[in-house]
Amino acid sequence: MRLLEALKILEDATLDSKKRDINTLEVRQALDLLDPICQPKWRVAGFRSQLKPHAGQEGHQLEGQQQNLRVYFGGIYSFVRQLLAVRINKLNYQYKKTNDPTVKVELDRHTAELEKLPERWDFYVR
């Protein structure tokens, strides 16, 4: 699983949290991928803590869960964008020094991934 795949899974979970149970293996795997690299650590931990709705919550009460997920996901999203930018800078520097075509391929892939991500994540109800 790549960073953008994990980000998409968490975004879908955030958007669908009022409609379905988001405590799935796929969401947990995405969080496991991001946990060791995401800073500050409380973003992933907070998202993980919101996976299970609190006892007795239904419908409109899940609005609070979704609001919390939006905050945590927004921070994770921003971090992944920053991480991609840092990786691009490192790869660019490495490519300028070596002219290695494999580095160029990685640089182009990361640049394309970053271009897919809007500068800021906005919440839209589906």
Side-chain angles (χ1 to χ4, degrees), residues 42-118:
W42 58 262
R43 289 177 176 160
V44 173
F47 196 101
R48 194 181 304 271
S49 73
Q50 292 295 319
L51 287 181
K52 295 181 182 176
H54 301 291
Q57 281 188 332
E58 295 178 6
H60 70 280
Q61 294 172 324
L62 292 175
E63 179 69 30
Q65 177 193 24
Q66 189 176 62
Q67 287 177 3
N68 288 332
L69 289 170
R70 287 168 50 188
V71 170
Y72 293 125
F73 179 75
I76 293 169
Y77 181 90
S78 296
F79 178 80
V80 169
R81 272 192 53 82
Q82 291 171 0
L83 182 63
L84 282 173
V86 167
R87 285 184 180 177
I88 288 169
N89 287 338
K90 286 180 180 179
L91 287 169
N92 193 30
Y93 178 74
Q94 186 178 1
Y95 179 69
K96 285 181 180 179
K97 286 179 72 175
T98 64
N99 277 343
D100 183 355
T102 58
V103 173
K104 178 65 172 158
V105 169
E106 269 303 288
L107 176 63
D108 292 343
R109 185 178 66 79
H110 278 65
T111 302
E113 287 179 352
L114 185 60
E115 288 173 355
K116 291 177 189 176
L117 297 175

Side-chain angles (χ1 to χ4, degrees), residues 1-59:
M1 176 182 305
R2 294 189 180 268
L3 284 177
L4 289 186
E5 292 173 46
L7 209 55
K8 181 65 177 152
I9 290 167
L10 296 184
E11 179 182 30
D12 290 343
T14 300
L15 296 173
D16 296 343
S17 63
K18 291 194 308 185
K19 300 175 189 169
R20 66 178 174 91
D21 179 17
I22 61 168
N23 190 14
T24 64
L25 177 61
E26 187 177 50
V27 171
R28 290 191 306 273
Q29 286 175 339
L31 289 169
D32 290 343
L33 174 76
L34 292 165
D35 196 21
I37 58 173
C38 192
Q39 295 293 328
K41 296 290 185 192
W42 58 262
R43 289 177 176 160
V44 173
F47 196 101
R48 194 181 304 271
S49 73
Q50 292 295 319
L51 287 181
K52 295 181 182 176
H54 301 291
Q57 281 188 332
E58 295 178 6

